Amino acid sequence: MTFKLAASPHTHNRRTTQQVMRWVYLALIPGVLIQTYFFGFGVYVQILLALVTAWLSEAAVMHLRNRPVRHAWQDHTAIVTAVLLAIAIPALAPWWIIVIGTLFAIVVVKHIYGGVGQNLFNPAMAGYVLLLISFPVQLTSWPLPTELAQLPLPFADTLSIIFTGFTQAGHSLEQLRIGVDGITMATPLDSLRHDLSQSLTLSESLAKPIFGSLGGIGWAWVNVGFLLGGLILLKQRIISWHIPGGVLVGLLVPAAIYWLFNPDQAITPLLHALSGATMLGAFFIATDPVTAATSNKGRWVFGLLIGGLIFVIRTWGGYPDAVAFAVLLANMTVPVIDKYTQPIAYGHGGRP
Amino acid sequence: MSQTTSVYKELAWQGLWKNNAGLVQLLGLCPLLAVTSNITNGLGLGLATLLVLIGSNITVSLIRKYVPNEIRIPVFVMVIATFVTVVQLLINAYLFTLYQALGIFIPLIVTNCLIIGRAEAYASKNSWHHSAFDGLMMGLGFTLVLVILGGIREILGNGTLFDGADLLLGDWATSLRIDVFSVDYPLLLAILPPGAFIVMGFIIAGKNWLDNYRAARAKQPQKQVTRARVTAQ
Amino acid sequence: MIVTSMQRNGFILAAFALIATLLVVGISKLTEGPIARQQEQELLRVLNQIILPELHDNDLYQSCTLVQHPELGQGKRRAYRAQRDGKPTAIAVEVTAPNGYSGAIHLLVAVHTDGTVAGVRTLAHQETPGLGDKIELRVSDWITNFNGQRVNDADDPRWAVKRYGGMFDQFTGATITPQAVVQAVKRAVLVVTTQQQHWHAAPANCYSQHSEVTP
Amino acid sequence: MSIATKEIEAGRIWDFPGGIHPPEHKHRSNQTPIAQLSLAETFVIPIKQHTGAPGDIIVAVGDHVVGGQPLTDAGLNNGLPVHAPTSGTITAIGPGRIAHPSGLPDTVITLTADGRDEQVTMPPITDFHERGRSELLDRIKQAGIAGLGGAGFPTAQKFALQRPLDYLIINGVECEPYITADDRLMREHAQTIIDGIEILLHLAGCQKAMLAIEANKPEAIAQFESLLPHHPAISLRVVPVKYPSGGEKQLIQLVTGRQVPSRGLPLDVGLVVQNVGTAYAVARAVLAGEPLIQRVVTVTGDHVERPGNYWVRIGTPVAELLHQCGFNPGPQQRVIMGGPMMGFTLPDLTVPVVKITNCILVPSYAELPPPAAEMNCIRCGACADVCPAQLLPQQLQWLAKAKDYDGLEKQNLFDCIECGACAFVCPSEIPLVHYYRKAKAEVRQLAREKMKSEVARERFEARQIRLEREKQERLERHRRAAEARKKAQAEAVAKGADDPQDAIQAAIARAKARKAAQAAAAAAKQSDDESNV
Amino acid sequence: MGDYLLLLVATVLVNNFVLVKFLGLCPFMGVSNKLETAIGMSAATTFVLTLASVCSYLVNQYLLVPFGLTALQTLTFILVIAVVVQFTEMVVHKTSPTLYRLLGIYLPLITTNCAVLGVALLNINEQHNFIQSIVYGFGAAVGFSLVLILFSALRERLAAADVPVPFKGAAVAMVTAGLMSLAFMGFSGLVAVA
Amino acid sequence: MSLITALIILGVLALIFGIILGFAAVRFHVESDPIVEQIDALLPQTQCGQCGYPGCRPYAEAIANGEEINKCPPGGETTIKNLSELLGVEAKPLDAAHGAESVKKVAVIREDECIGCTKCIQACPVDAILGAAKHMHTVIAHECTGCDLCVEPCPVDCIDMVPVPVRPDNWQWDLQQIPIRVVE
Ligand SMILES: Cc1cc2nc3c(=O)[nH]c(=O)nc-3n(C[C@H](O)[C@H](O)[C@H](O)COP(=O)(O)O)c2cc1C
Ligand SMILES: Cc1cc2nc3c(=O)[nH]c(=O)nc-3n(C[C@H](O)[C@H](O)[C@H](O)COP(=O)(O)O)c2cc1C
Ligand SMILES: Cc1cc2nc3c(=O)[nH]c(=O)nc-3n(C[C@H](O)[C@H](O)[C@H](O)COP(=O)(O)O)c2cc1C
Ligand SMILES: Cc1cc2nc3c(=O)[nH]c(=O)nc-3n(C[C@H](O)[C@H](O)[C@H](O)CO)c2cc1C
Ligand code: SF4
Ligand code: SF4
Ligand code: SF4
Ligand code: SF4
Ligand code: FES
């Protein structure tokens, strides 16, 4: 009689990569729902476009590399990448924006490195930065939160504007973005940064209609949604608290200090926490295990670095929201962080 | 005679493809990546490099016997610097617009690693005519890469080809300009620094792919190297 | 041994240095003329674009004088004075917009004696190709929008891009560059209108101290 | 007494990083007392069942032996004898399957039992307190005792070095799922184990022993709690339930807070660790003179009808053991020697039970499904979180794949205790431990090759020098010999003697013919230049 | 003081020599296979770059400018640099074999690193004074070292990655450099450099 | 710019530099590089000559002079990798023209066929064959490097190259290509 040979251990606790990824995109749901509520059905359309592109491009890469095409979708990581990229770009951006971004993320940033687990940079964020740099106009043209919009935007119009650039009635995106005061409205962070650089004070800037009591209308709640999702991930032990903790501390502590010294000229910590992609970044993006540091100490350093970079770029840099850049910059340092935060192995003089 | 032709053939093969300065040796990358936002710039820099390369190779080959080892590098770089300055002055005098386009990179050809690299690796060991040919082929291979890279980046980032060729080649070249496509929003990234790196990565990969493909196709019987005997048989 | 090595190396290196120097200096002498001509032509080309031929009968290139004014940027600037029948008609002056998107933008601004803009050209800049480079005439004719405009006073609100309530178009996605240019041109116009008499009277002194190779 | 020592004395339990909590499955086999397995017909006794060199075989095929009779000599260094498990005839000595994951053969002695089960023992030593260390150590060695806890290190040798020791630690943790051999042994033979510990304490020359038991064995704990008050030198330590708290290094950390230095020994921090089974075996060897010919083995898993613990003679083929316990193999059956975390699968059932076999596990497919296809590591860090050695398993795995041996050393590959915790939690189901084992084997192989190439170089250079010298000598000799030979030849031919070269010529001719045939055959495929040799 | 700090930050991050200014790319690609060698190269480059900055400033300020020989700048600078490098190499080789093992093989490479001449020329272009020249040279070197070290650590991680065959080696390294450069664009506009 | 000043200044500068370098060249002169030793230490010392050089050391010298590092089949991938790290050059795949990396082998003489001609002894670079003229020869297995140089000279063809046997203690844990396979 012969038997099967296998390596020990012969047992396994069955939480597979698919399950991990499934938790991630399930945890995104609260945030996405809120985002849809404020910015319209465009969010869904973008997600759908991203998923289709991601799937097709993964399949194509697998085919080109003579690998079984069905492997492409197996681990569900592409879903996470696609969804994250889709919710990072403005809901009404033209269809080719998300297609180019996803293609770049999946093909160049992920598969040139050999696919899942081997990429050095966060695919979704690299895709986002590519878009931001190449198409700054489209990437900063966020639709107005529903409450402020002058024109209603039913689903058919959403589709029409994403695919043709105009609503059925012939309004362009630019026209849709005209707010109550008759000028195009920027996102809260953008507007703040601009105003502050024009020597307006914080309170003057906050008087604009895009701000509510918590922060930018819509944006604050979207952030709360993602915070909720992040807590679910923490609870499920999909992510450890070190990275999100590091990001928030690295962003909010300097922000608070800076604000204490320049109360008129600086964004408040609360605004920092609840605008832009702060929460999405802290809980879903910075935590991408593949491109983050691995030891707990390393995760702390990594998170702090991201938070600090977000603060620096938001405050002095050329871009209103800096999560993507901060994440990519921190990705670059991961091998070095890993190297210098390696835990002291048993028997090498560390104290228990 | 046949032997010399084969030397030239080998040099051409090495310079243009097998050991291409830009794609394989990864030399001269700085100007290569920096100025290739369009074909015209690429071509211009390529030709300038070509000129300097031939000149420096010949000179280095001629003087190689008279230079002691310890001052080899200073002498070589000086020779190259002289050539560059001369070429720079000539371009400045007769191709002023190109001079503006290539800017700071003309003086930097001096330390273009390709040039000192060839001086060290080839010209300092070979006769002047072989060195000259080596310079020509390496330079052409380098120019080829510059042009391809410039072309791809120009198409992606600008939607055109040979935009501004008149600056380099004279007014007749205006007609060379091709509008490949025209969209309102070209892929700006391609002409920014990251695009340069990424497109270059794809070109290198393309070359590797071609090589692999040809190797797989060819599968010619492997030549066998005779074993040396260490001991008596 | 040390001494021979030192002597040998020293002499060989020196010999090569001498030959190299000889070559460089020789060629630079040879090309001196053409290069100067090139530069002159380039400038003239630009000058002649913005100061129409009927406005002057003097040699614009030679009429250059060095001027200095904080509003124009640090250091000495060149000003070219156009005269017709001995009467001043216009001045073209170099000005730097220090606040471009990626650094300083160097401009040449020509102003008629009556204060209207004769023309503006970009001499050098590092703005992003495709975004900020529309200030080049080669890329876009935006820069000609200045022609004929005048500045009413230092607070003239029209001298800004449209987004800030002015009269000049911004480029989609790049407001910083045009705004910087607009402001620089405005400053130049203001300076020229106040200083022009003074400048017209100044001696032509641009190219005397700059001749590079003296035999 | 330093603070740390005070804390140890006070019974403080430290913690070690990482660790996992796999399902225990212990109840299945620990409900019934240890049963005696009936004798098998044939026994297969590998001559090497411990860490170290095998002893010299001192029996021959056809010899009749009785149970307890040594079959090999202890040899000089770290050899250890093996004993006949029962009386019978030696029927074969030669290569055979051994209990090793490779399934490769090694020298085994096959014994056909005669069913009479005659035994010999050595004279009991009851007054061990009065005996010298060396005498006791020799007894333990002659009894063939190797650690029964896993590594099979000769027990006597652990005490051979006379270094001052602080504590003797007795490992009754048994943290691996399914296995209950030590648990049952502790419940049923607590007193013998205590005797064994007393002997070991005497040998170790230290004052205190600590017996560590995992908290999930209340009966065993109760047994000792009632007995230990009479033995003040031995104290009980109940350690939390966590795998791998039974690992030597982890246990040391748990009960003393100390860490064994990398590549060092427990001895370096003044400790020695022994398994409870070893203590039992020592007690039997000293007090009753019994050599190590049987041990407790847990037989468990879905596919065995009568799970439980059995006294099994060493050398019993696994087939026999399973047969007696009611084995009904399922599809894709695996038979694991050891537990689910550290055990290895057996290639077939002729493999015998050896001194370190503590468990035979025959799981059903559903019980321990084989690993799914390996996926790429997503660097989730779960493995690093559970690694008790504080390594970075995913990093090690990358480096192992890249064959970056320097990197592996820097990442302390050799500090990995192969506990399998990392692979247990890995969501990508990477057989991490396997990579490490392979890499470790490769590193060792490289080291061997390096040494070999050093030797080769020396030999080559020596040869070159010799050749040079010989050449000089030959030139000289030739000149002189040439004349002598000429003369001799002339004389021989004159006598008409047979040419002694004939036999050789014939052999050469044969070879040539064969070569020609080969060449022809080769030429059919591809022309070669065999003929010009 | 603050100005110098700003200049330093700007040179290291915003106008990073390698990723933004495209200088010193060949050693960036060539000696980034291993972290250790990258660290060696960084140390060597920092030393030479700062020294070259100083020497070229002195030569320019006290020889070339006073005698009106600015047309010979390139020639002179390159000579100075080559000699400085060669001399350093010889001295290190003799005096410290360990240091030589670390730096030695990179020193000759540095002569041909265009960042060195770049620094010398840019210093003049931007009319830096003596201290600014030192800061600029040092900053450029730190920027170079920073990205080189990060890059080589990234490349070490690539060693075991299942990169598609045509992309193995230089190609994927180029793409990585591209993505690094993409990330560095985040710094643009950080410090307004006139 | 005066030609004369230019010539003087640069000439003097270069003269001084040259003198400095000439001084340094002698003052800081270092004896030959130990690089050959280092390379040699990485080669497998099989002395088989497959690289085209008579022995490992000559090949090491050749590498130090710029020869390719991928010509030693016995060393295979590992040696190439080590060399590439030592020399800071790119690792290339083994040059197939020199043969392929194969399993480690050891020579075995079929002793009953051996005629004792001593030809193999002469061929063995590491003296791994024992025997006297006209007596049966044997290979000292643990000294044999597996170079197979003794195979050709044997007139009766009685030397076989057999793979080094795998024993439990040098086994490479390669039983299992994951996933599991059935072993007979
Ligand atoms: C890669 C890149 C290059 C840019 N280049 C320029 C530029 O050259 N000029 C400019 O004014 N703005 C430039 N911008 C700035 C942005 O487009 C910025 O959002 C804009 O200037 C703000 O103006 P807005 O109010 O029109 O959006 C650039 C942005 C990016 C991402
Ligand atoms: C090569 C080797 C030498 C050892 N030498 C000693 C020793 O001198 N003294 C000792 O107490 N233990 C010694 N040991 C035993 C170890 O400390 C340890 O108890 C044994 O490896 C079993 O541990 P494990 O089952 O956790 O692997 C040695 C082990 C090995 C493998
Ligand atoms: C991960 C791991 C878990 C172990 N678990 C136990 C255990 O539960 N009980 C035990 O006695 N030995 C266990 N061992 C073996 C011990 O490390 C050590 O070898 C043994 O206690 C030494 O005693 P011995 O020489 O008497 O066998 C384990 C080893 C490892 C590596
Ligand atoms: C907690 C978590 C966060 C993730 N975040 C990202 C992300 O920000 N961007 C992304 O492309 N993929 C993300 N992924 C998916 C996956 O790790 C990623 O696609 C890999 O980088 C692909 O190799 C995430 C996965 C997990 C489990
Ligand atoms: S647990 Fe597995 S997937 Fe996660 S980091 Fe470790 S090896 Fe990678
Ligand atoms: S097997 Fe090794 S690496 Fe994995 S958890 Fe155990 S000690 Fe750590
Ligand atoms: S091929 Fe390798 S082992 Fe054989 S002689 Fe050459 S270097 Fe030595
Ligand atoms: S015995 Fe044969 S194979 Fe072995 S080393 Fe000697 S010559 Fe080589
Ligand atoms: S060209 Fe710049 S370093 Fe090579």
Side-chain angles (χ1 to χ4, degrees), chain F residues 104 106 162-167 170:
Chain F
K104 292 271 174 276
V106 57
V162 298
V164 177
V166 182
R167 292 182 310 277
N170 67 358

Side-chain angles (χ1 to χ4, degrees), chain A residues 98-121:
Chain A
I98 184 73
V99 169
I100 292 178
T102 316
L103 267 176
F104 183 77
I106 299 283
V107 177
V108 178
V109 188
K110 183 171 169 192
H111 278 287
I112 280 186
Y113 291 94
V116 184
Q118 327 212 29
N119 47 314
L120 302 174
F121 292 88

Side-chain angles (χ1 to χ4, degrees), chain A residues 1 3-6 8-10 12-13 15 17-18 116-118 289-290 292 294 299 338 342 344 346-348 352, chain D residues 249 253 257 259-260 262 340 343 345 347-349 375-380 389 394 411-412 415 423-424 426-428 437:
Chain A
M1 206 180 334
F3 295 109
K4 296 210 122 189
L5 293 189
S8 64
H10 308 286
H12 187 261
N13 81 334
R15 167 126 81 187
T17 308
Q18 285 102 304
V116 184
Q118 327 212 29
V290 175
T294 46
R299 287 174 181 152
D338 273 350
Q342 188 183 340
I344 301 170
Y346 182 102
H348 286 264
Chain D
K249 294 175 172 178
Q253 193 166 4
Q259 287 190 354
V260 181
S262 174
T345 49
D348 65 37
L349 296 185
M375 290 206 266
N376 281 337
C377 166
I378 54 165
R379 291 170 44 92
C380 64
Q394 91 279 25
Q411 295 273 348
N412 308 312
D415 287 315
F424 176 77
C426 174
S428 301
R437 291 199 183 110

